[in-house]
Amino acid sequence: SKDVKDLKVIDLGCGNGAQVHHIEKLGFDVTGTDIVNVLEYEINNFVMDDALDSKLNKKYDVLIDRGLIHNLFILVLGLSVLN
């Protein structure tokens, strides 16, 4: 059985890196990704990546999304957030 802290975690669309930073402080192996680097926190593993054309090739046990997926629907479908 795997120790919880041995799980590979990825935060898609990590933004300023706050969530990755705090999860790292708990002892987890976390990768933060975003299409641009707007980090305000120092994190150990950041990858610039476009979620719609991802070049990531590692496997992760846990995926965290705190705002990416619903924004992708808006982008892909051309929906206006003002509707």
Side-chain angles (χ1 to χ4, degrees):
S1 153
K2 237 181 190 181
D3 184 317
V4 172
K5 292 191 179 177
D6 290 334
L7 297 174
K8 303 284 186 222
V9 180
I10 186 165
D11 183 355
L12 296 176
C14 71
N16 70 4
Q19 191 164 257
V20 174
H21 173 77
H22 293 292
I23 294 170
E24 279 181 348
K25 285 177 72 174
L26 294 172
F28 289 90
D29 178 9
V30 188
T31 299
T33 72
D34 212 313
I35 195 165
V36 295
N37 184 341
V38 292
L39 294 175
E40 296 176 16
Y41 292 80
E42 190 170 317
I43 63 175
N44 293 324
N45 193 9
F46 174 76
V47 177
M48 266 188 9
D49 187 62
D50 181 349
L52 293 176
D53 187 26
S54 180
K55 306 297 186 236
L56 296 174
N57 59 6
K58 287 177 64 178
K59 290 188 177 189
Y60 296 90
D61 302 300
V62 178
L63 180 144
I64 298 172
D65 164 41
R66 200 178 105 196
L68 174 69
I69 303 297
H70 72 272
N71 285 317
L72 289 180
F73 284 113
I74 292 170
L75 179 66
V76 171
L77 298 176
L79 302 174
S80 170
V81 292
L82 301 176
N83 284 345

